[in-house]
Amino acid sequence: MTEADIKTHIFRGLALVAPEAEFDDLPADENLREELDIDSYDFLTFLIWLNEELGVEIPETDYEKLISLDDLVTYLSVRLN
Amino acid sequence: MADFIMPSLGADMNAGLLVAWRVAPGERVKHGDIIAEVETEKGLFEVEVFADGIVEQLLAQPGPDKIPVGTVLATISSEATAAAQVSAEETEKRLRISPAARKLATEKNIDLQRLRGTGPQGAICLADVEKAITEVSEPQAAPGPTALETAKTDYRAGMRQAIAAAMSRANREIPHYYLATDIDMSRALDWLAEQNRERPIKQRLLPVVLTLKAVAQALEKVPQLNGHWIDGELQLKNELHIGVAIALRGGGLLTPAIHNLDRLSLDQLMGALSDLIVRTRSGKLRGSEMTDAGLTVTSLGDLGVQTVYGVIYPPQVALIGLGRIAERPWAEAGLLGVRPLLTATLAADHRASDGHQGGQFLDAFAKALQQPERL
C-alpha cells in the first residue's frame, strides 16, 4: 500500500472524530491530537476504525509513537508492507 | 390520572420547545418510555414519561413557541379507569359536535380528533372549526441552506446562554469551597496497562473509567456529596447517577448522567461512556440523563491542565475535577522519585457539606485508586 493510500485511509478515519477538519492543511509533523482537538476517547475510536479497516494491530504501548501524521504513516507503512 | 409536564432539563432551563410527540392518544405507556422530543438551548432531547397508563389527551402541539417548564402537555390515565372510559368517550364524542361544524370540517378536511371544543360540555362548534382552518393555512417556513447556518450559530449562542445562566446561578447561590489532592496513579496505570495488553483494541479501557469507579466507591463512604440542594435542604440521592462533562466540538458542554454507576463493571462502564459520548455529540440524549445526576465529574486530562477549579452545576452540591495524569516528582518513605500523578479537586457546596467530609471523600477516592483490581 502506498503512502498516499495510507493517508487516504487515515483521513477517512480522522473524519469520523473530527468531521469539520480540513486534512489538506494538516501539518504533517505536528501533534495530531492537538491540531485536531481530539481527546483520548476520540483517538481510541480512530484507532479501532483503523484496526477494522486495515487489519493492523496497535498495542497500547505503541500509542505514544503515534504523535504526528508522519508518525502514523510511517508506523502503518511498516506494518502493511 | 397523571400529568406529563414540560420537564426542566437543567438549572438553566425556563422553557422548551415541543418538537414532536412520540405517542398518540390511546397508546399505552410505561415508566421510562420516550413520550416526546423537547428542544432547549442545549439541544434536542428525548423525554421519558414516568407514569404507567394510557395517553389520554395531548394538550400541546409541536410548534415554534416556547412552553414554560411545568406546563401540562398531556394527561395520562391509569390502566384501570382507561378501559372503562374509552367506550364511554367514544359514544360521547360522536354527539359533541354541532352539525354545522361537522359539515364545515368535512368540507375543509379538518381532522375532528384534533379539535378542542369550546361549546357546551366541550362540544365542537362552528367557531372551533373556523379557528382550526386559519391555523392550518398559516404557512410554515421550510429551512433553507442559510437558515441551517443561522441555526448552527443560534445553537452555539443558545448553548452559551444556557451555560451562562447555570454558571451564574451557581456563583450567586452556591457558597463553594475547594479541596485538592495529588494522587499517585502508578498502581492504577500499571494494572490498566496489564489489562489492556491482553485485550483486543475494541475492549480496551481508558483511565477515566477507573476514576469514575473510584468516585462511586468514595461516595459510598461520603454520601452527602451525592444529592440536590432544594428549598434550603439537602436531598440525598439513593442511587448513584454520576454526570460526566462532555465537551462538544466547536464549543459548548453537556453533563449527562451515567445511571447506576455503582452497578456497572469496568467493561460495562466503558460501554456506557462510549454510548453516552456518541449520543451527546449527535444530539440523542434523554431527558432523564440531563436531570438525574447527583454530582458531576469533569476530566480535563487530555489537555495540559493540571488542576481544575470547577463550578458546581445547580442543584448539585459537588463537582469533581480531574487534571492531566503526568509524571512529576514524588516523595515517599524519605526517597525522591518520579510518578504519574493526578491532581483531583473537589468543589463542594458549603451548605451541604463541610471541609471535613470533602477531605474524607478525596481521601477515599485516592485510596480506591491504589487498589485498581477492586474497582
Side-chain angles (χ1 to χ4, degrees):
Chain A
M1 197 179 285
T2 66
E3 276 199 9
D5 287 333
I6 292 176
K7 268 198 188 151
T8 310
H9 282 289
I10 291 174
F11 292 156
R12 273 185 35 225
L14 289 174
L16 293 175
V17 295
E20 75 298 324
E22 304 275 350
F23 296 114
D24 298 323
D25 301 333
L26 197 63
D29 53 352
E30 297 283 342
N31 185 317
L32 193 65
R33 280 170 257 187
E34 276 175 28
E35 285 293 316
L36 296 175
D37 191 21
I38 59 181
D39 61 23
S40 55
Y41 172 78
D42 293 329
F43 193 62
L44 183 60
T45 303
F46 164 64
L47 292 181
I48 289 173
W49 184 88
L50 273 184
N51 173 251
E52 282 174 4
E53 183 81 354
L54 300 175
V56 176
E57 286 291 336
I58 307 178
E60 200 182 38
T61 40
D62 283 354
Y63 293 176
E64 57 192 24
K65 297 183 188 157
L66 308 173
I67 304 292
S68 69
L69 178 62
D70 281 343
D71 293 337
L72 255 178
V73 173
T74 311
Y75 184 91
L76 292 173
S77 207
V78 163
R79 277 154 189 79
L80 288 170
N81 298 321
Chain B
M1 191 157 82
D3 288 338
F4 170 66
I5 61 170
M6 173 62 79
S8 169
L9 297 178
D12 42 284
M13 184 182 167
N14 294 317
L17 291 171
L18 177 60
V19 172
W21 282 110
R22 296 274 279 266
V23 297
E27 215 174 296
R28 181 167 284 114
V29 291
K30 58 184 192 313
H31 176 109
D33 285 347
I34 308 293
I35 189 171
E37 288 172 24
V38 166
E39 188 182 303
T40 71
E41 284 165 336
K42 286 201 160 181
L44 188 65
F45 301 96
E46 297 177 323
V47 180
E48 301 104 315
V49 62
F50 295 108
D52 292 332
I54 302 210
V55 177
E56 257 204 353
Q57 272 191 305
L58 300 179
L59 299 173
Q61 287 305 322
D65 295 321
K66 281 197 177 169
I67 301 173
V69 167
T71 309
V72 179
L73 300 176
T75 52
I76 299 169
S77 62
S78 69
E79 296 258 11
T81 47
Q85 276 184 359
V86 163
S87 46
E89 270 179 4
E90 251 154 45
T91 41
E92 274 187 36
K93 267 197 179 125
R94 293 182 59 221
L95 302 170
R96 290 219 222 118
I97 175 167
S98 74
R102 187 191 289 280
K103 182 163 176 279
L104 183 59
T106 318
E107 271 174 33
K108 300 286 180 179
N109 249 325
I110 302 291
D111 183 0
L112 291 174
Q113 299 299 326
R114 287 167 173 257
L115 292 179
R116 292 189 66 196
T118 57
Q121 289 174 334
I124 297 167
C125 57
L126 200 58
D128 297 323
V129 178
E130 285 168 346
K131 182 163 177 279
I133 292 170
T134 51
E135 277 170 5
V136 163
S137 61
E138 266 168 35
Q140 294 230 335
T146 47
L148 209 56
E149 271 300 308
T150 337
K152 262 195 191 152
T153 345
D154 283 347
Y155 174 73
R156 269 189 222 131
M159 164 69 76
R160 281 268 54 95
Q161 277 181 6
I163 295 174
M167 296 292 90
S168 300
R169 176 180 155 192
N171 256 338
R172 254 193 334 264
E173 295 175 8
I174 303 179
H176 284 66
Y177 70 86
Y178 290 94
L179 302 174
T181 190
D182 290 336
I183 302 172
D184 174 6
M185 290 292 284
S186 52
R187 284 181 198 88
L189 293 181
D190 286 343
W191 183 86
L192 198 60
E194 216 182 279
Q195 283 288 313
N196 282 338
R197 209 173 302 144
E198 307 299 316
R199 288 158 175 259
I201 192 166
K202 279 199 201 110
Q203 286 168 26
R204 284 182 205 154
L205 305 169
L206 287 172
V208 64
V209 154
L210 293 180
T211 53
L212 286 173
K213 273 304 254 182
V215 166
Q217 280 188 6
L219 284 174
E220 279 167 35
K221 299 239 167 78
V222 188
Q224 300 92 309
L225 298 178
N226 178 25
H228 286 183
W229 188 262
I230 312 264
D231 294 333
E233 62 171 17
L234 176 62
Q235 291 178 6
L236 288 180
K237 295 272 175 188
N238 290 324
E239 295 113 349
L240 256 155
H241 306 320
I242 296 181
V244 181
I246 296 172
L248 303 176
R249 295 195 75 77
L253 172 69
L254 286 167
T255 56
I258 294 183
H259 285 85
N260 298 305
L261 209 141
D262 50 327
R263 294 196 216 145
L264 301 176
S265 69
L266 290 176
D267 284 281
Q268 288 170 328
L269 181 52
M270 185 73 189
L273 187 61
S274 297
D275 173 63
L276 198 67
I277 293 173
V278 167
R279 282 190 295 111
T280 301
R281 292 182 177 160
S282 58
K284 293 196 173 73
L285 288 173
R286 292 167 215 138
S288 64
E289 288 169 328
M290 299 308 293
T291 54
D292 285 353
L295 84 171
T296 300
V297 175
T298 182
S299 177
L300 289 164
D302 286 314
L303 303 167
V305 169
Q306 178 172 316
T307 311
V308 176
Y309 302 97
V311 184
I312 298 168
Y313 189 65
Q316 295 170 25
V317 296
L319 175 82
I320 292 137
L322 304 173
R324 185 185 188 84
I325 301 175
E327 288 200 323
R328 279 187 256 153
W330 180 258
E332 200 174 281
L335 297 172
L336 198 59
V338 172
R339 299 274 175 95
L341 297 185
L342 167 68
T343 300
T345 50
L346 171 70
D349 184 335
H350 216 315
R351 298 170 299 181
S353 69
D354 299 328
H356 188 73
Q357 282 108 43
Q360 284 178 317
F361 172 82
L362 282 181
D363 201 51
F365 176 65
K367 287 208 167 83
L369 286 168
Q370 303 313 312
Q371 296 192 300
E373 64 286 348
R374 288 222 197 146
L375 288 171

